[in-house]
C-alpha cells in the first residue's frame, strides 16, 4: 500500500463547501443593482452562429464571448439603459441598446454582416467562415487554445476526429493502417493528455494489448479514430489549464464539442463511395446526416446526427530483426580465439493484412432554455468494427525454418457517452452542474490464429547471411507448401471495459470594483468514479487434437516420427502465388474458409492457457476535486488564477505467479505433481496467488494564466500551471508474468508514483480581419517521469529480461510553435478566394533511461553477469518537427483544399541494452572497428563518459527503434450544382504521396516498412 499525501473524499467536499461559502460572503457583489443580458450572435447573411464573438458593455470591461452555438450570457450588468457591442473579426461590429432590469434576464440578439472591402461586401464562404470562427474563439479565450471549427472540419477530407486534431499546431499522430488514431500533444505520449466531450472525460479505449507484439494495454489513452469527425461541431485543444479543468493533462486537453440546435429547421446529408489503391478496391462507403430544429418559441432544441463508414485499411509490411553477437575480451576468457563482429539477421518477416473497418455512430442532443438558464441532455454512441484477415511468412533464420501465420479475427470498440447538465444565472451568481457517464468496451469476440511450419527451410545453411541483402536471403530459402504442416491453432478473446461516472458543480460569483475592473470568483467540486476491468483469454489445441481432427475430416497428415508433425498445409492453401510485398513473395494464398471450418470443428477441445490470464485485473479509481479561482479583467489585462486539489484512491486486484508459457510443458508439470498429490491444484503447482493493492494520495495544482492586449489586435499570453498523469492500470497493478519460452518477465509496480509537471507557456498573437500570426514557446519540467525499465535478472542460472514501468528522476520538454491563418480577401477578384493555414512546431526533450552491460560470462555455465547504468535521450514518440500547410480556394460555389502534413522521424522505443548484450572488437586502430559502415559512438563501459576515439574496448551500437519522416498529402474538391440549392459534389483523396511508414533499428537496416496506399472518395452532399 502506498500513501502519499493523505486525504479523504468527504474532507475534499467539505473543504470546497467552506471555501465556496467564504468566497460568496467576501466577494463585493453587495451592489445588487444588476441584471443579466443574454442572447445570440449570428451571421446576418447565412443565419449561422458566430462562436467566439466578444460582447461587452460599452464603457466597461464587463462582457463575455459566445460559445459554439453563438450564445452568450453576461451577469452583473448595471441596471438602466446600457449599450452592448459585439465584435467578430472579419465582420462589421455592431452596438445595440438595452434597458437592463434588476435581477432579470434581458435578451439582446446581434446580427453581424461581413466587413466590406474596397466598397464591396466580402463573400463569406464555408472555408472563410470556418477560419474566422477559429480565430475569434482563440482570441476571446482566457487561456491558450487552438480551435478547429465545424466548417473547417467539414472542409477537410479527414476520416476521424484524430486526423482533425492533427491539423493543429504541435500535434503529431500515431497511425494504424494509415489512419490517425491517437494524438501526441507536443510530443508527449497519448496517456499524458486527456480527451473530453463537452468537457467530460472519455475513458481509455485500449484493450488488453494482446500478446502479439502490440502494446501491453491497460492504459488511459483514447483512440480518437473511434469518433467520426462528422459528429462534431468543433474541436478545442487547451494547452494551458485553468483550475476549473481536470489536472491530469500534462500535454493538454482535447475537447470535442457537440453543439445545441440552432434556430430553424436545418440539416445535411452526405454520401460518398471510395477507392483503396493498396487493395485496388472500390468498396469504401461513407454516409452521414444531421438535422436540427427548435420548438415552443425556440425554447426546446433537438439536434441528431448519424454516420456510417466502411473503409478498407490493408497493410503490406516488411520487417526484419537482427542479432548482434560480438565478444572481444570475453573471447580470450572463453578461449574462443581472435574476435570479430557478427551482425546477423535473426528473422525476416513479410506481412499482408486485409482489414475492413466499419464505423458507425449517432448522437442526440436536446436542450431547454429557461428564462435565466438552460438544461441539456446529450448522448453519443460510436462503434468501430475491425474485420481482419492476415497472412505472414517469417523466415526464422536462427532455427533454419519458415513459419506461416494465418489469422482471422474481429475486433470491436464501443464508446458511449451521455450527460445531463444545467446552468442557471442568478443576479449575483452563475451556477452549473452536470452528471455524466462514459463507457468504452474493447472486445475480440471472434477469430483464430493458425501457425504452419516448414522445417529445414534453408538447405544451403545460413552462414554468411550478415553480408547479404534481405531479398537474397529470402530467395535462398526453399519455400515449399508441400513440406509445411499445421503446427498450432489457437483463439484469442479479450474484453476490456473502462467506465466513468462523473458529477460536478461550479459556482461563479461576478464582482465589479470599478467600470474598468471586474471579474468573478469561481469555485466548485467534482467527483469521478472509474471502473476498469481487463480479461484476456487464449485457448489452444494440442497436437493430438489436431491429429484426431485430421483423421475425422480425412485430411492429409504429415508424419515424421517426431514432435514436428501435423495436418499437411496444402489442404489449407490455394494454388498460385500472391502478389509480392515490397519485392518479397507472400506465397500461396490461404483458404480462410477451410481453416475456419477446422477451427469450428475443434470447438469442444480447445484448452484455456492460464499463462495468458496473468494480465487480467480489476481496478476502481475515485478522483475527488475542489478548486477556487478568480478571473480579473482590468482593461487590457486579464488574469485567471487559483488552485485545484485532487484526491485519488485506486483499489486493484490481479494475480501473480509462474505459469509456463508452453501449454504442453504446463500440462506435463501439472500431471506429474498430481501423481504425487492428487489434491494439488494448478495454482499451487505454479505458485499463483491473487494480489490486491491500494494507492491513496492528494495533490495541489496551482494555475495562473494571463492575457495582456498590447493593442486590440495584439495580445501576449503567459501561463504557469501544474499538472499530472496517473499511471496506466496495468503498470500499477501487482502482477508478475514469467515467460519461460522467451525468458522474459513482466511485472506491475504498485509503488509507481504519478508523473507531475510544471508547465510554462508564452505566446504572442496578432489578429486582423485577414487572419492571425502567432509565435509561442513552452517548457515542461516532469517529475517522477514513468518509463519502461528493461533489467536483466538471473534466476536459477538462467538470464531473464525483466520489463517493468518505473519512475525516473526528471524529464524536460521544450519547444516553439508558429501559426498563421490568412485569407486573401484584400486581393482583387478572383484571387480573393484563397486562404492559407500553416503551422510548425519544434520540440525537444531529455530524459534518463536505463541501460545494461554484459560484464562477464561464467566459463563453465555461461551464466551472464550484468551491470546497469543510465543514458540520456529524447522521450519516445516526440517528433522534433511537425508542420501542417493547407492552401484553400473557394469562389462561386467551387471549393478546393490541398493539405500537407509532415512529421519528422523520432525515437519510437528505447533499447533494452546500450550494447544489446553485444560488443564490437577493434583492430590496432580503435577508430576502425571490424564492422559495416555504421555511425558509432565509442564508449568505455567502465565509465559513463563517452570517449570519441579511444581508448576503446567496446563500441556502442544503438538498437533503438526510430521512425522515419512521414509526409501526408490530402486533397478536397467540391462544387455546388447550379440550379439545385444546397446540392454539392465532393471529391476527397488521402495520402496522395503513397507514403510508407518506416522504422529503423538504430544504425542497422530497415526494421519495418509498412505501406497503406492512397484512398479516394467521391459523392454528394445536400444541405437544407
Amino acid at each position: 500500500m502506498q500513501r502519499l499525501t493523505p486525504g479523504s473524499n468527504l474532507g475534499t467536499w467539505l473543504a470546497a463547501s467552506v471555501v465556496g461559502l467564504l468566497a460568496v460572503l467576501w466577494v463585493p457583489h453587495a451592489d445588487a443593482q444588476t441584471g443579466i443580458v443574454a442572447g445570440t450572435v449570428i451571421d446576418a447573411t447565412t443565419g449561422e452562429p458566430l462562436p467566439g464573438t466578444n460582447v461587452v458593455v460599452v464603457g466597461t470591461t464587463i462582457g463575455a464571448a459566445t460559445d459554439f452555438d453563438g450564445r452568450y450570457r453576461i451577469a452583473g450588468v448595471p441596471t438602466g439603459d446600457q449599450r452592448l457591442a459585439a465584435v467578430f473579426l472579419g465582420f462589421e461590429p455592431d452596438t445595440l441598446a438595452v434597458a437592463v432590469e434588476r435581477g432579470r434576464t434581458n435578451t439582446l440578439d446581434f446580427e453581424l454582416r461581413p466587413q466590406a472591402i474596397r466598397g464591396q461586401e466580402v463573400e463569406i464562404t464555408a472555408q472563410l467562415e470556418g477560419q474566422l470562427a477559429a480565430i475569434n474563439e482563440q482570441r476571446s479565450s482566457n487561456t491558450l487554445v487552438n480551435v478547429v471549427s465545424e466548417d473547417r472540419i467539414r472542409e477537410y477530407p479527414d476520416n476521424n476526429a484524430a486526423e482533425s486534431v492533427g491539423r493543429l499546431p504541435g500535434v503529431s499522430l500515431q497511425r494504424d493502417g494509415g489512419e490517425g488514431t491517437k494524438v501526441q500533444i507536443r510530443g508527449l505520449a497519448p496517456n499524458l493528455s486527456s480527451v473530453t466531450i463537452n468537457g467530460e472525460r472519455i475513458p481509455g479505449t485500449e484493450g488488453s494489448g494482446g500478446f502479439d507484439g502490440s502494446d501491453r494495454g491497460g492504459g488511459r489513452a483514447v483512440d480518437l479514430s473511434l469518433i467520426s469527425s462528422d459528429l462534431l461541431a468543433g474541436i478545442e485543444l487547451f494547452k494551458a489549464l485553468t483550475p476549473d479543468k481536470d489536472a491530469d493533462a500534462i500535454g493538454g486537453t482535447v475537447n470535442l464539442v457537440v453543439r445545441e440546435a440552432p434556430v430553424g429547421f436545418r440539416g445535411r446529408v452526405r454520401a460518398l463511395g471510395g477507392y483503396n489503391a493498396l487493395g485496388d478496391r472500390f468498396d469504401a462507403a461513407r454516409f452521414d446526416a444531421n438535422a436540427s430544429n427548435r420548438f415552443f418559441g425556440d425554447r426546446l432544441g433537438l439536434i441528431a446526427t448519424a454516420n456510417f463508414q466502411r473503409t478498407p485499411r490493408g497493410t503490406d509490411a516488411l520487417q526484419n530483426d537482427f542479432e548482434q553477437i560480438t565478444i572481444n575480451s570475453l573471447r580470450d576468457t572463453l578461449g574462443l580465439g581472435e574476435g570479430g563482429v557478427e551482425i546477423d539477421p535473426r528473422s525476416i518477416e513479410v506481412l499482408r493484412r486485409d482489414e475492413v473497418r466499419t464505423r458507425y455512430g449517432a448522437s442526440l442532443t436536446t436542450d431547454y432554455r429557461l428564462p435565466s438558464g438552460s438544461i441539456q441532455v446529450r448522448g453519443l454512441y460510436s462503434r468501430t468494427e475491425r474485420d481482419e484477415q492476415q497472412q505472414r511468412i517469417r523466415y526464422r533464420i536462427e532455427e533454419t525454418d519458415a513459419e506461416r501465420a494465418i489469422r482471422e479475427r474481429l475486433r470491436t470498440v464501443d464508446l458511449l457517452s451521455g450527460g445531463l447538465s444545467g446552468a442557471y444565472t442568478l443576479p449575483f451568481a452563475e451556477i452549473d452542474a452536470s452528471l455524466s457517464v462514459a463507457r468504452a468496451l474493447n472486445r475480440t469476440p471472434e477469430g483464430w490464429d493458425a501457425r504452419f511450419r516448414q522445417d529445414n527451410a534453408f538447405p544451403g545453411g545460413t552462414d554468411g547471411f550478415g553480408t547479404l541483402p534481405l531479398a537474397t536471403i529470402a530467395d535462398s530459402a526453399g519455400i515449399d507448401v508441400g513440406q509445411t504442416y499445421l503446427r498450432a491453432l489457437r483463439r484469442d478473446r479479450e474484453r476490456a471495459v473502462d467506465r466513468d461516472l462523473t458529477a460536478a458543480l461550479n459556482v461563479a460569483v461576478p464582482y465589479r470594483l470599478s467600470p474598468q475592473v471586474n471579474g468573478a470568483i469561481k469555485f466548485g467540486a467534482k467527483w469521478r468514479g472509474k471502473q476498469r476491468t481487463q480479461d484476456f483469454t487464449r485457448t489452444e489445441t494440442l497436437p493430438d487434437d489436431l491429429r484426431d481432427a485430421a483423421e475425422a475430416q480425412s485430411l492429409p497428415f504429415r508424419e515424421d516420427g517426431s514432435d514436428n508433425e501435423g495436418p499437411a498445409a496444402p489442404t489449407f492453401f490455394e494454388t498460385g502465388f500472391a502478389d509480392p510485398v515490397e519485392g518479397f513473395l507472400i506465397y500461396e494464398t490461404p483458404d480462410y474458409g477451410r481453416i475456419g471450418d477446422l477451427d469450428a470443428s475443434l470447438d469442444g477441445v480447445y484448452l484455456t492457457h492460464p499463462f495468458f490470464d496473468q494480465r487480467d485485473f480489476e481496478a476502481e479509481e475515485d478522483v475527488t476535486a475542489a478548486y477556487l479561482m478568480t478571473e480579473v479583467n482590468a482593461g487590457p489585462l486579464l488574469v485567471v488564477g487559483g488552485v485545484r486539489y485532487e484526491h485519488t484512491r485506486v483499489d486493484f486486484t490481479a494475480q501473480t505467479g509462474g505459469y509456463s508459457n508452453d501449454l504442453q510443458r504446463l500440462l506435463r508439470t501439472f500431471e506429474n505433481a498430481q501423481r504425487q498429490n492428487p489434491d494439488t491444484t494448478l495454482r499451487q503447482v505454479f505458485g499463483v496467488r491473487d494480489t490486491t493493492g491500494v494507492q491513496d494520495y492528494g495533490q495541489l495544482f496551482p494555475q495562473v494564466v494571463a492575457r495582456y492586449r498590447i493593442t486590440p489586435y495584439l495580445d501576449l499570453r503567459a501561463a504557469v500551471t501544474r499538472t499530472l498523469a496517473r499511471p496506466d492500470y496495468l503498470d500499477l497493478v501487482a502482477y508478475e508474468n514469467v515467460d519461460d519460452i522467451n525468458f522474459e518477465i513482466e511485472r506491475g509496480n504498485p509503488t509507481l508514483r504519478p508523473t507531475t509537471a510544471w508547465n510554462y507557456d508564452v505566446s504572442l498573437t496578432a489578429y486582423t480581419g485577414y487572419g492571425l500570426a502567432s509565435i509561442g514557446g513552452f517548457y515542461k519540467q516532469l517529475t517522477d517521469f514513468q518509463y519502461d525499465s528493461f533489467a536483466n535478472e538471473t534466476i536459477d542460472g538462467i538470464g531473464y529480461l525483466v520489463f517493468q514501468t518505473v519512475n525516473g528522476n526528471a524529464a524536460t520538454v521544450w519547444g516553439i510553435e508558429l501559426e498563421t491563418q490568412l485569407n486573401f480577401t484584400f486581393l482583387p477578384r478572383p484571387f480573393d478566394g484563397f486562404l492559407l493555414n500553416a503551422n510548425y512546431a519544434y520540440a525537444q526533450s531529455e530524459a534518463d533511461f536505463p541501460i545494461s552491460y554484459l560484464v562477464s560470462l561464467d566459463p563453465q555455465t555461461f551464466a551472464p553477469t550484468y551491470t546497469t547504468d543510465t543514458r540520456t535521450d529524447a522521450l519516445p514518440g516526440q517528433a522534433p518537427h511537425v508542420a501542417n500547410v493547407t492552401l484553400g480556394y473557394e469562389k462561386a460555389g467551387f471549393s478546393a483544399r490541398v493539405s500537407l502534413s509532415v512529421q519528422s522521424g523520432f525515437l519510437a522505443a528505447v533499447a533494452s541494452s546500450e550494447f544489446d548484450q553485444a560488443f564490437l572488437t577493434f583492430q590496432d586502430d580503435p577508430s576502425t572497428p571490424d564492422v559495416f559502415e555504421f555511425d558509432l559512438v565509442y564508449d568505455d563501459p567502465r565509465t559513463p563518459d563517452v570517449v570519441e576515439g579511444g581508448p576503446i574496448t567496446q563500441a556502442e551500437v544503438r538498437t533503438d527503434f526510430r521512425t522515419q519522416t512521414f509526409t501526408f498529402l490530402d486533397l478536397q474538391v467540391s462544387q455546388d450544382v447550379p440550379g439545385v440549392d444546397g446540392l454539392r459534389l465532393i471529391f476527397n483523396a488521402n495520402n496522395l504521396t503513397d507514403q510508407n511508414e518506416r522504422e529503423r533499428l538504430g544504425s542497422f537496416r530497415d526494421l519495418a516498412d509498412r505501406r497503406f496506399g492512397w484512398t479516394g472518395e467521391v459523392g454528394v452532399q445536400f444541405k437544407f
Side-chain angles (χ1 to χ4, degrees):
M1 175 176 178
Q2 180 192 21
R3 187 172 297 275
L4 302 179
T5 303
S8 69
N9 296 350
L10 179 59
T12 303
W13 282 89
L14 291 176
S17 301
V18 172
V19 170
L21 179 59
L22 293 175
V24 172
L25 295 176
W26 173 83
V27 170
H29 64 75
D31 178 13
Q33 305 299 316
T34 61
I36 303 164
V37 180
T40 59
V41 183
I42 64 172
D43 181 343
T45 59
T46 65
E48 293 294 327
L50 295 178
T53 303
N54 276 311
V55 182
V56 297
V57 179
V58 176
T60 75
T61 55
I62 302 172
T66 57
D67 59 19
F68 270 96
D69 302 301
R71 298 172 57 194
Y72 73 93
R73 181 177 294 274
I74 306 173
V77 180
T79 56
D81 294 334
Q82 301 291 341
R83 295 181 64 80
L84 273 67
V87 178
F88 187 89
L89 294 178
F91 281 64
E92 297 287 352
D94 194 12
T95 303
L96 298 177
V98 61
V100 180
E101 299 183 33
R102 175 182 175 183
R104 297 191 60 182
T105 298
N106 305 269
T107 301
L108 189 65
D109 297 328
F110 290 85
E111 296 184 5
L112 304 186
R113 294 191 171 276
Q115 197 166 23
I117 300 176
R118 304 182 308 275
Q120 298 180 352
E121 188 174 277
V122 173
E123 177 188 0
I124 300 298
T125 62
Q127 290 191 40
L128 178 57
E129 187 160 26
Q131 185 187 71
L132 291 174
I135 291 172
N136 279 277
E137 182 167 354
Q138 290 180 206
R139 178 176 179 266
S140 62
S141 173
N142 63 357
T143 184
L144 284 78
V145 64
N146 299 113
V147 177
V148 184
S149 68
E150 181 177 13
D151 291 301
R152 287 182 66 183
I153 292 174
R154 300 287 176 262
E155 292 298 322
Y156 284 117
D158 297 331
N159 290 290
N160 59 58
E163 295 180 346
S164 298
V165 177
R167 309 284 183 182
L168 295 172
V171 177
S172 56
L173 296 179
Q174 294 184 0
R175 295 184 178 273
D176 184 5
E179 182 180 34
T181 54
K182 300 173 186 175
V183 298
Q184 299 193 174
I185 303 172
R186 292 172 166 175
L188 295 173
N191 63 333
L192 298 184
S193 301
S194 65
V195 180
T196 61
I197 296 179
N198 282 13
E200 297 301 335
R201 188 73 176 259
I202 299 177
T205 58
E206 290 185 334
S208 68
F211 283 78
D212 56 1
S214 58
D215 57 29
R216 296 166 59 219
R220 299 176 182 268
V222 175
D223 182 352
L224 279 174
S225 70
L226 305 175
I227 301 176
S228 171
S229 53
D230 303 319
L231 296 176
L232 306 177
I235 301 172
E236 301 169 312
L237 172 56
F238 293 98
K239 294 179 176 176
L241 301 185
T242 50
D244 54 347
K245 293 182 173 61
D246 293 338
D248 52 343
I250 292 178
T253 297
V254 176
N255 184 43
L256 310 177
V257 179
V258 179
R259 65 179 295 182
E260 294 181 355
V263 176
F265 177 62
R266 60 184 70 192
R268 185 194 73 250
V269 178
R270 183 172 58 168
L272 304 101
Y275 170 77
N276 181 281
L278 182 64
D280 193 22
R281 302 171 60 165
F282 288 88
D283 55 347
R286 180 155 65 160
F287 173 84
D288 64 88
N290 66 53
S292 65
N293 203 356
R294 302 204 69 86
F295 308 91
F296 306 117
D298 295 336
R299 291 191 301 274
L300 176 66
L302 292 172
I303 181 169
T305 70
N307 72 281
F308 170 84
Q309 185 177 13
R310 183 183 187 276
T311 309
R313 285 291 175 190
T315 302
D316 283 353
L318 171 65
Q319 300 182 181
N320 49 80
D321 185 17
F322 286 89
E323 180 174 24
Q324 305 82 44
I325 307 174
T326 324
I327 302 177
N328 48 11
S329 59
L330 296 180
R331 281 185 170 269
D332 297 332
T333 302
L334 302 175
L336 299 178
E338 189 173 334
V341 106
E342 300 175 15
I343 302 183
D344 294 328
R346 283 190 186 131
S347 66
I348 304 170
E349 186 172 291
V350 186
L351 177 145
R352 166 158 293 160
R353 183 177 68 184
D354 293 314
E355 180 181 340
V356 176
R357 296 184 185 177
T358 304
R359 180 185 299 114
Y360 49 91
S363 70
L364 177 64
T365 302
T366 179
D367 69 281
Y368 190 82
R369 297 177 181 175
L370 304 169
S372 295
S374 63
I375 298 173
Q376 182 190 84
V377 180
R378 63 167 182 83
L380 181 147
Y381 173 73
S382 182
R383 179 181 175 89
T384 296
E385 298 177 351
R386 301 176 59 168
D387 196 351
E388 172 192 327
Q389 291 183 335
Q390 177 177 295
Q391 53 179 312
R392 183 187 71 191
I393 184 166
R394 184 182 183 189
Y395 303 90
R396 295 157 51 96
I397 297 170
E398 285 187 311
E399 292 82 2
T400 68
D401 61 35
E403 179 185 76
R404 303 188 195 210
I406 314 301
R407 182 170 73 189
E408 184 173 77
R409 70 177 180 183
L410 174 67
R411 295 177 59 193
T412 65
V413 183
D414 295 89
L415 177 64
L416 175 65
S417 175
L420 168 65
S421 60
Y424 197 79
T425 304
L426 301 170
F428 60 88
E430 298 179 44
I431 302 173
D432 68 81
S434 63
L435 294 171
S436 67
V437 60
R439 183 176 183 266
L441 170 62
N442 194 314
R443 299 174 61 227
T444 304
E446 301 175 16
W448 46 258
D449 191 333
R451 299 297 173 99
F452 297 84
R453 176 174 289 183
Q454 177 185 346
D455 298 321
N456 303 315
F458 294 92
T462 61
D463 292 340
F465 276 6
T467 60
L468 297 178
L470 297 179
T472 303
I473 297 173
D475 290 343
S476 71
I479 300 301
D480 183 0
V481 71
Q483 299 299 316
T484 304
Y485 61 95
L486 177 61
R487 181 171 177 266
L489 194 59
R490 69 192 190 199
R491 297 173 177 175
D492 288 345
R493 300 289 185 267
E494 68 173 305
R495 178 184 175 88
V497 183
D498 204 340
R499 188 226 65 191
D500 287 357
L501 291 176
T502 306
L505 175 67
N506 303 286
V507 179
V509 183
Y511 61 84
R512 180 164 56 96
L513 302 179
S514 72
Q516 298 303 319
V517 179
N518 68 85
I521 293 288
K522 188 175 182 180
F523 59 92
K526 187 174 187 177
W527 170 80
R528 182 173 71 238
K530 176 183 287 289
Q531 289 184 347
R532 169 81 187 203
T533 60
Q534 180 169 297
D535 180 19
F536 181 92
T537 302
R538 172 168 292 177
T539 55
E540 296 185 11
T541 59
L542 297 176
D544 288 345
D545 297 322
L546 289 178
R547 177 185 293 275
D548 293 342
E551 292 178 353
Q553 300 180 38
S554 301
L555 300 177
F557 198 85
R558 176 187 180 276
E559 295 183 273
D560 60 3
S562 71
D563 292 336
N564 298 330
E565 56 185 32
T571 305
F572 305 102
F573 288 84
E574 300 174 5
T575 57
F577 294 115
D579 295 332
V581 174
E582 298 295 324
F584 291 76
L585 286 175
I586 197 72
Y587 292 99
E588 291 86 355
T589 301
D591 187 334
Y592 289 95
R594 191 67 180 268
I595 303 174
D597 291 341
L598 177 61
D599 165 73
S601 71
L602 293 167
D603 192 63
V605 299
Y606 272 101
L607 296 178
T608 299
H609 197 327
F611 172 84
F612 296 93
D613 292 333
Q614 294 178 120
R615 282 187 186 172
D616 297 348
F617 68 87
E618 295 183 2
E620 293 189 1
E621 179 181 87
D622 285 331
V623 178
T624 310
Y627 72 90
L628 175 64
M629 60 181 282
T630 184
E631 180 175 308
V632 182
N633 194 342
L637 178 65
L638 173 70
V639 178
V640 180
V643 65
R644 183 180 185 88
Y645 175 79
E646 290 193 356
H647 173 264
T648 305
R649 179 184 172 91
V650 188
D651 296 85
F652 46 84
T653 59
Q655 66 176 354
T656 185
Y659 286 126
S660 173
N661 191 8
D662 187 312
L663 182 58
Q664 294 187 76
R665 184 187 306 169
L666 182 148
L667 292 175
R668 285 195 299 266
T669 302
F670 180 53
E671 289 170 357
N672 291 334
Q674 281 206 317
R675 290 191 188 101
Q676 300 179 18
N677 181 7
D679 295 329
T680 190
T681 66
L682 189 66
R683 288 167 63 93
Q684 290 172 339
V685 171
F686 292 95
V688 176
R689 59 185 177 83
D690 293 332
T691 63
T692 61
V694 177
Q695 272 202 342
D696 194 312
Y697 56 90
Q699 294 174 314
L700 288 171
F701 301 95
Q703 324 270 9
V704 178
V705 183
R707 182 191 71 199
Y708 183 76
R709 288 207 163 131
I710 303 171
T711 73
Y713 304 104
L714 178 66
D715 68 39
L716 176 68
R717 301 180 188 229
V720 179
T721 59
R722 188 170 187 261
T723 53
L724 90 158
R726 297 181 178 89
D728 284 349
Y729 304 104
L730 190 59
D731 296 336
L732 186 65
V733 298
Y735 83 101
E736 182 176 72
N737 196 6
V738 182
D739 184 343
D740 58 355
I741 293 181
N742 299 305
F743 302 108
E744 296 175 348
I745 300 175
E746 288 183 1
R747 287 180 183 148
N749 186 356
T751 64
L752 191 64
R753 297 181 298 277
T755 299
T756 57
W758 281 103
N759 313 280
Y760 307 90
D761 295 87
V762 63
S763 70
L764 180 67
T765 307
Y767 306 88
T768 73
Y770 304 117
L772 67 75
S774 177
I775 180 172
F778 62 90
Y779 179 86
K780 297 177 181 289
Q781 180 71 48
L782 281 65
T783 302
D784 290 329
F785 175 72
Q786 301 162 31
Y787 64 86
D788 292 331
S789 170
F790 305 91
N792 293 284
E793 187 173 308
T794 302
I795 301 176
D796 297 331
I798 301 175
Y800 286 84
L801 189 61
V802 180
F803 298 83
Q804 187 178 46
T805 302
V806 299
N807 290 111
N809 294 327
T812 55
V813 183
W814 65 94
I816 61 171
E817 295 173 347
L818 306 174
E819 181 184 16
T820 183
Q821 299 186 37
L822 183 63
N823 66 74
F824 294 85
T825 53
F826 55 86
L827 295 178
R829 295 177 178 174
F831 305 104
D832 58 344
F834 281 103
L835 297 97
L836 175 68
N837 295 303
N839 58 69
Y840 166 76
Y842 171 78
Q844 285 292 331
S845 60
E846 193 173 274
D848 292 332
F849 300 96
I851 56 174
S852 297
Y853 297 106
L854 175 62
V855 177
S856 65
L857 292 174
D858 185 283
Q860 303 301 322
T861 65
F862 293 92
T865 301
Y866 301 95
T867 186
T868 59
D869 206 334
T870 59
R871 57 175 277 201
T872 301
D873 213 321
L875 294 174
Q878 181 154 58
H881 307 278
V882 178
N884 294 281
V885 180
T886 299
L887 180 64
Y889 182 81
E890 192 162 14
K891 179 67 69 174
F894 172 79
S895 176
R897 280 181 186 263
V898 59
S899 305
L900 178 69
S901 297
V902 180
Q903 181 174 300
S904 66
F906 55 84
L907 175 67
V910 180
S912 61
S913 170
E914 194 83 353
F915 293 84
D916 202 18
Q917 303 180 19
F919 304 112
L920 301 183
T921 59
F922 300 88
Q923 309 301 326
D924 294 336
D925 182 358
S927 65
T928 57
D930 182 18
V931 54
F932 303 109
E933 296 179 0
F934 298 142
D935 295 328
L936 298 178
V937 178
Y938 303 117
D939 176 67
D940 185 344
R942 295 166 297 185
T943 72
D945 300 326
V946 173
V947 184
E948 295 289 349
I952 314 297
T953 57
Q954 301 174 96
E956 170 188 12
V957 180
R958 293 190 183 275
T959 54
D960 301 329
F961 293 86
R962 295 183 182 271
T963 68
Q964 294 186 343
T965 298
F966 189 81
T967 303
F968 215 77
L969 183 67
D970 299 328
L971 175 67
Q972 182 273 335
V973 178
S974 61
Q975 173 66 58
D976 287 343
V977 177
V980 184
D981 191 26
L983 185 62
R984 193 173 187 85
L985 303 178
I986 301 171
F987 171 75
N988 297 328
N990 294 87
N991 194 21
L992 288 173
T993 51
D994 197 12
Q995 181 73 64
N996 291 17
E997 283 190 353
R998 293 183 174 91
E999 289 182 346
R1000 295 182 67 86
L1001 177 61
S1003 305
F1004 298 95
R1005 305 176 228 179
D1006 287 350
L1007 174 74
D1009 193 336
R1010 293 181 286 269
R1011 180 170 178 261
F1012 314 108
W1014 67 272
T1015 60
E1017 292 179 312
V1018 62
V1020 297
Q1021 173 182 284
F1022 181 68
K1023 293 183 69 174
F1024 55 89

